[in-house]
Amino acid sequence: MAAGSAIQIPSRLPLLLTHEGVLLPGSTMRTSVDSPRNMQLVRSRLLKGTSLRSTIIGVIPNTSDPTSDCDDLPSLHRIGTAALAVQVVGSNWPKPHYTLLVTGLCRFQILQLLKEKPYPVAEVEQLDRLEQFTNQHKSEEQLGELSEQFYKYAVQLVEMLDMSVPAVAKLRRLLDNLPREALPDILTSIIRTSNQEKLQILDAVRLEERFKMTIPLLVRQIEGLKLLQKTRKPKQDDDKRVVTIRPNRRINHIPSTTEDEEEEADNDDVVMLEKKIRTSSMSEQALKVCLKEIKRLKKMPQSMPEYALTRNYLELMVELPWNKSTKDRLEIRAARILLDNDHYAMEKLKKRVLEYLAVRQLKNNLKGPILCFVGPPGVGKTSVGRSIAKTLGREFHRIALGGVCDQSDIRGHRRTYVGSMPGRIINGLKTVGVNNPVFLLDEVDKLGKSLQGDPAAALLEVLDPEQNHGFTDHYLNVAFDLSQVLFIATANTTATIPPALLDRMEIIQVPGYTQEEKIEIAHRHLIPKQLEQHGLTPQQIQIPQVTTLDIITRYTREAGVRSLDRKLGAICRAVAVKVAEGQHKETKPDRAEVDEEDCKEHVTEDAKTESISDTADLALPPEMPILIDFHALKDILGPPMYEMEVSERLSQPGVAIGLAWTPLGGEIMFVEASRMDGEGQLTLTGQLGDVMKESAHLAISWLRSNAKRYQLTNASGSFDLLDNTDIHLHFPAGAVTKDGPSAGVTIVTCLASLFSGRLVCSDVAMTGEITLRGLVLPVGGIKDKVLAAHRAGLKRIIIPRRNEKDLEEIAVNVRQDLTFVMASCLDEVLNAAFDGGFAVKPRVERLNSKL
């Protein structure tokens, strides 16, 4: 059939076996190659070939390539398509494969299979002409009436589509420019047809037969489009289906009534969304942006991914509380009563909230303050934020910032990213539905930092009263007013908060509780809460204050009350078991849970039988409440975890007690020293930081310079304390990192005890920084340190004189239990740390012979 002037394909072609689709001349197909023979064809022929001839292959449809080289080839389809490999893309995931983009050239017939390995090669005969058609009128005359009928249906089909779509307009031009004999193959590959129908068109070698088989397919598509248009409204003419030129869509499927109703509902939703935008109270800038986006949404096909993104954005803008707020409750007396009922102590916090309420009464447009509660865990920083919201009558929202290392969590993502969403601030406002809530930024000292940015820097705009009236979230891309939001941040320490962020917040220290405060908190709040959680009543369990004090001192050692709450929960669970069983175990005489009078009221065996037989009496409490005393504590909680070991640790020279501050509250810290023969080296252990190491060197230098004054000698009697002597300083709890200057006076006292051989008083603790001149400088965290000494049972505390003003923050009852010694120099510290003082001892000078 090939003419003399026609372009000829090679007579021997490598064969690509496919079973997924059918490639027709003039069409393009993308196919995946992962079988052994096809992979070898791509590697050996396409990737290594250097000429145009090497890119021409034969595509055999409806034939699967065996998964193994050892398997025989199946029977090949007789007719194939010579194709030009336009693109080859390789990948190793999920397994090695290639993706080919091939364009059909012409039909061929297999005459003989020449070889099967490494890939099949066959001798072929070209069946179609492959040339540049220049005499279009001649070809039309030969095709005659059949060609005209096919052309008429093809034009009718294309004109029923949306001509504004570039692909449709290009197809219309191709109908006029291409020769008629090439159109059946091209249109068959474009319209929705099955692989079997395409295979029949491929096998139709005669052109007349090809036209006859293609015309019914066109008529079927035209009828389907007509039915589709009848079921649609006239206004949706601009939404004509482009799916007829996309082979992955079905056009002969007529949508059901349910789908039409859903599309109508979507259109109604867009209209309702526009009404909500116009009636909302958003700012002028936001309204302008929303109206622009709603116009784009109306013109956008619903199948586009951007349709859902734009709609979500507009729905968020409508839901945000642009001008909706709650009215504050400004009655100060009621607020004071509510705060006192919810929280014991915390006078600073309550005072600051009442000040805010008072100013709000005098000025309505007051900007929300930026507060930061700093204190150890478990002291109620988060719960007091919730109480503040309750007091003001505002909505409350908590944002956990611990571990956040992406600035997009604060500012949001730009809408150009897939899966973009607003930041936590805007999401919180959407959740509460008002623009003046109480936002609790929890654990602001534990913010991270990564390649995605610094969230602490993003918070600078949020927590600045001069800037947050125009806070711009990346997702919204319009300003939102945060000036009416009351921000409360919580932190355990200010050391890890960037200075710029710390400068924007009003710091309120929340110290740990004293023992008396813990007892009050336990009986006012913790015990009633645990009884309610465990289904118990005060008639079933009684925990006296003496027992609570034992739990605080011997089973917990913390600044807050979380461990205390857990211990009380354990006690309630043990009592709940007793109550659920409806009987009490017989207690031993020396470990009775109740008094002798209570023993008379134990359930007798007859009563037990009655209670077991009557299911209604199983949960009844005993006649008298179960009294929790020390013996019951030991049975439930085990042996005490903490004992007073201060006097035992100070039984030999070279030991002193210091006071340290940690993010978890104050702690007492033992300092131990020993000396041995050596070369004058100072060894420091206990995971010490650089500042603490320098304090140790300061202490030994001061003692060496004042050794004669205090008559301090080494083991050989020399005033040079490091002469043939090594000193080892150890700070117990070696697994805990320690640093800071406040251990200076403790180290001096410890070394003075070591070289003088005198014991430090067992009830004395101390803190303060030292200098080479022997001065004692002030330190921080005095209140937490004093409370730690009080919890440990110490009676005297040595602090720098310039820290005397910090004692006013300590409760009166704690100050009455302790004796404070104010020291401005190390002489005063040593005189207070030893019984009888540490005065200079007279000593007769001995003359050394120079002979």
Side-chain angles (χ1 to χ4, degrees), residues 671-674 682-685 696 727-731 747 750-751:
V671 181
E672 302 174 351
S674 64
L682 176 63
T683 304
L684 304 172
T685 55
I727 299 175
H728 187 167
L729 270 174
H730 178 62
F731 294 76
I747 298 173
C750 174
L751 293 175

Side-chain angles (χ1 to χ4, degrees), residues 16-22 29 31 38 59-65:
L16 180 72
L17 308 183
T18 64
H19 65 280
E20 295 179 351
V22 178
M29 183 178 74
T31 181
N38 286 345
V59 179
I60 303 298
N62 201 27
T63 306
S64 298
D65 186 23

Side-chain angles (χ1 to χ4, degrees), residues 125-193:
E125 176 188 1
Q126 184 174 344
L127 300 178
D128 293 340
R129 287 187 303 172
L130 188 60
E131 59 182 334
Q132 297 292 335
F133 295 98
T134 57
N135 193 355
Q136 183 175 347
H137 298 288
K138 181 180 177 181
S139 62
E140 289 178 1
E141 292 173 1
Q142 292 175 352
L143 296 175
E145 220 174 275
L146 201 59
S147 171
E148 289 297 331
Q149 186 182 5
F150 176 85
Y151 178 76
K152 182 181 70 173
Y153 284 124
V155 172
Q156 182 182 355
L157 175 64
V158 174
E159 288 181 348
M160 294 178 70
L161 304 177
D162 185 6
M163 297 300 293
S164 63
V165 178
V168 178
K170 182 178 180 181
L171 179 60
R172 181 66 183 87
R173 291 193 298 269
L174 288 177
L175 292 179
D176 295 333
N177 297 331
L178 286 179
R180 299 284 174 85
E181 56 207 57
L183 292 180
D185 289 332
I186 295 176
L187 284 177
T188 303
S189 63
I190 290 177
I191 63 177
R192 184 61 179 176
T193 52

